[in-house]
Amino acid sequence: MTPADEPGATELELSEIESRTAGGKIIRGGTLRAAGYLVSTGGTAVAFALLLRHLGVVDFGRFSTVIALVTIASGLSEAGLQVVGQRRFATVGQEGRRRLLGNVIGIRLAFSPLAVALCTLFAVVAGYSTTMVVGTVVAGAGGMIAVITGSYAIAMAMHLRYVALTLVETIRQMVIVVGIVVLVVVDAKLGAFFAVYLAAGLVMLVASVLAVGRRYLVAPRFRWAEWRPIIIETAPLAFSLAINVIYLKVLIVMCSLLTSGEELGLFATASRTTEVLVGLPTFMIGVAFPLLAHAASHEEDRLAYALQRIAEVALLVGIGFVVVLVVAAEPIIRLFGGPGFEAAAPVLRIQALALVGASLTQTWIQGLVAVKAQRALVVVNAIALGSVLVLGAALIPTLDAKGASIAAALGEAIMALAMLRALVRARPALRPNFGFTWRVGLAGAISLLPLLLPIAPAVRGVLTAALYCVAALLLRAVPLEVFHAFMPARQSSEPAT
């Protein structure tokens, strides 16, 4: 007997998701999480600007390589359990939900140390310094704790507890920010900065326990009979996400092996900027998954409508990032890296193009998982990884950091197209209408006009951002649902949560 079949097991109270006001609540939740992310990002930008100046180009490249390995380990540990957990959470009763969370925690406790060990082994085999190898172990332990603790986010997300979810995520990032700043002030060496990630994981654990409350505070479960159906359902998604995590970080690792330490530092600097920005649409889109999963089972028209609007917002955000980075790459790099990093500006301009494909990819991934077509993700991510490996191997030895950025931009475009094709094949009714793209494209073109003005690059960047926002509004490139979600009259008619 499965948990869903237990006596008294009822479908999760998702009346909010089923109601006509669900879209507005999710938009506001996405905005809240985006605001928290922006706060964290602002602090991270300051911290990493100090870190770049403190470590220099070469050591910052080494730091970024270790964090890339840790990110890979965290991705392998996450293994797609978050979205599968959310889907299952919606179909079981209260006791079943507690058992589900216990199983998810148990599975992650079993596999996370293995992922960290594999990445550490790679660091040893690749001939990295002792500081980098030890850093992989220490920072990897922090990432492992964060992934395991993130299991509690399943309950918070499914109950639309966006405030608690945002606070937990923001607290972890701010611990990293404060830790880096303190270590820079005391003139710490490279190895000390990896301990910040361990401290952040421990603080996140405490914050999550306090946020989730006794209702879902559970011990890990280690029962293969209960793990087996979860692992079978997760396996295709886990494999595809593992490929995806490697795909996102493989170019930094390739640069560490195929080019100089200075070029690695330049690419790592540009990559850090784009990674921070691509996280914003990821956070905004992720909150819509409960609605998408519910609509996939009950209302295909509603699913198609939601994915269309999400794609419109994703493209709007992606193009906005591109135009600002293209115009203001120099002052952004100067602010972020300081003197000695000016050569990263053209690298950043190229890599900025990857944000368009990355933003759209996040939308279509949510759709594929919602319709339970995650097996297609394996093929899509394998295609993307293969493309990046081939492009990186061909371009990095000759074009160095710029070659890696070209590979990143082309790889994201290939992935977005492959993801869209997989989604349409799984559910033809979900084919998006691209009639809205001209509005976003025209807004982007208008926002580039400051390039013609003889003004400071930083002023150009601010003017570009302002012009883009105004043009997008005037051209009606912003979906009306975004405005409706924040209208007081509409909010007041919603049922209490």
Side-chain angles (χ1 to χ4, degrees), residues 51 54-56 58-67 129-135 183 187-197:
L51 185 61
H54 179 70
L55 294 179
V58 175
D59 267 355
F60 184 74
R62 292 169 180 156
F63 174 83
S64 298
T65 300
V66 171
I67 299 306
S129 67
T130 301
T131 299
M132 294 176 70
V133 173
V134 174
L183 290 176
D187 196 27
K189 301 298 183 183
L190 173 62
F193 291 93
F194 301 123
V196 171
Y197 288 82

Side-chain angles (χ1 to χ4, degrees), residues 141-143 145-146 149 172 175-176 195-206:
I145 294 171
T149 303
R172 176 177 182 267
V175 170
I176 293 174
V196 171
Y197 288 82
L198 177 57
L202 293 171
V203 172
M204 181 183 180
L205 173 60
V206 174

Side-chain angles (χ1 to χ4, degrees), residues 76-143:
L76 293 173
S77 303
E78 200 284 321
L81 283 168
Q82 207 73 3
V83 291
V84 171
Q86 288 184 18
R87 271 205 316 239
R88 284 178 163 259
F89 196 92
T91 61
V92 296
Q94 176 61 29
E95 188 56 36
R97 295 168 208 157
R98 289 175 55 84
R99 184 159 47 249
L100 172 65
L101 291 180
N103 283 321
V104 170
I105 294 172
I107 292 170
R108 285 175 169 169
L109 273 173
F111 288 98
S112 294
L114 178 60
V116 174
L118 287 174
C119 289
T120 303
L121 178 62
F122 174 85
V124 173
V125 173
Y128 292 159
S129 67
T130 301
T131 299
M132 294 176 70
V133 173
V134 174
T136 303
V137 175
V138 174

Side-chain angles (χ1 to χ4, degrees), residues 299-311:
E299 303 173 82
E300 189 173 73
D301 289 345
R302 192 184 193 195
L303 176 62
Y305 182 85
L307 284 175
Q308 174 71 29
R309 293 296 178 263
I310 293 171

Side-chain angles (χ1 to χ4, degrees), residues 32-407:
L32 176 63
R33 293 193 73 192
Y37 182 81
L38 288 174
V39 170
S40 302
T41 299
T44 301
V46 172
F48 274 85
L50 295 173
L51 185 61
L52 276 165
R53 290 166 172 79
H54 179 70
L55 294 179
V57 175
V58 175
D59 267 355
F60 184 74
R62 292 169 180 156
F63 174 83
S64 298
T65 300
V66 171
I67 299 306
L69 288 175
V70 171
T71 303
I72 290 173
S74 297
L76 293 173
S77 303
E78 200 284 321
L81 283 168
Q82 207 73 3
V83 291
V84 171
Q86 288 184 18
R87 271 205 316 239
R88 284 178 163 259
F89 196 92
T91 61
V92 296
Q94 176 61 29
E95 188 56 36
R97 295 168 208 157
R98 289 175 55 84
R99 184 159 47 249
L100 172 65
L101 291 180
N103 283 321
V104 170
I105 294 172
I107 292 170
R108 285 175 169 169
L109 273 173
F111 288 98
S112 294
L114 178 60
V116 174
L118 287 174
C119 289
T120 303
L121 178 62
F122 174 85
V124 173
V125 173
Y128 292 159
S129 67
T130 301
T131 299
M132 294 176 70
V133 173
V134 174
T136 303
V137 175
V138 174
M144 179 181 70
I145 294 171
V147 168
I148 294 169
T149 303
S151 304
Y152 293 121
I154 294 173
M156 288 186 275
M158 293 305 292
H159 283 288
L160 306 185
R161 293 185 58 204
Y162 296 125
V163 173
L165 201 54
T166 302
L167 281 175
V168 170
E169 293 163 347
T170 304
I171 286 171
R172 176 177 182 267
Q173 286 303 118
M174 295 312 295
V175 170
I176 293 174
V177 168
V178 172
I180 288 175
V181 171
V182 170
L183 290 176
V184 168
V185 170
V186 301
D187 196 27
K189 301 298 183 183
L190 173 62
F193 291 93
F194 301 123
V196 171
Y197 288 82
L198 177 57
L202 293 171
V203 172
M204 181 183 180
L205 173 60
V206 174
S208 295
V209 169
L210 293 175
V212 77
R214 293 183 179 181
R215 185 180 181 186
Y216 292 114
L217 189 58
V218 297
R221 295 175 67 87
F222 298 95
R223 293 178 179 151
W224 174 250
E226 296 178 6
W227 283 14
R228 187 172 180 274
I230 298 174
I231 291 175
I232 290 175
E233 185 178 351
T234 305
L237 185 58
F239 187 58
S240 65
L241 287 178
I243 297 174
N244 184 253
V245 170
I246 296 171
Y247 153 78
L248 289 172
K249 295 297 182 181
V250 71
L251 287 171
I252 288 181
V253 178
M254 291 180 74
C255 280
S256 73
L257 301 174
L258 298 177
T259 189
S260 68
E262 182 175 355
E263 290 293 326
L264 167 61
L266 296 177
F267 180 69
T269 302
S271 295
R272 183 63 193 173
T273 303
T274 55
E275 284 172 9
V276 166
L277 293 177
V278 79
L280 182 59
T282 300
F283 268 67
M284 295 175 67
I285 293 168
V287 300
F289 183 76
L291 183 148
L292 298 178
H294 184 271
S297 300
H298 301 87
E299 303 173 82
E300 189 173 73
D301 289 345
R302 192 184 193 195
L303 176 62
Y305 182 85
L307 284 175
Q308 174 71 29
R309 293 296 178 263
I310 293 171
E312 292 175 15
V313 173
L315 183 62
L316 187 67
V317 172
I319 293 294
F321 285 156
V322 170
V323 295
V324 171
L325 290 179
V326 167
V327 173
E330 290 180 9
I332 289 173
I333 290 296
R334 197 178 303 118
L335 176 66
F336 193 57
F341 285 82
E342 291 85 355
V347 179
L348 178 58
R349 289 193 181 97
I350 297 170
Q351 199 164 338
L353 298 173
L355 291 171
V356 177
S359 297
L360 290 171
T361 295
Q362 293 303 317
T363 301
W364 295 324
I365 285 177
Q366 297 285 330
L368 271 172
V369 177
V371 300
K372 300 183 179 181
Q374 58 262 34
R375 290 189 179 183
L377 293 176
V378 177
V379 176
V380 171
N381 282 287
I383 291 172
L385 177 60
S387 301
V388 166
L389 287 171
V390 171
L391 291 166
L395 297 173
I396 292 174
T398 54
L399 298 176
D400 298 311
K402 290 182 181 178
S405 288
I406 293 171

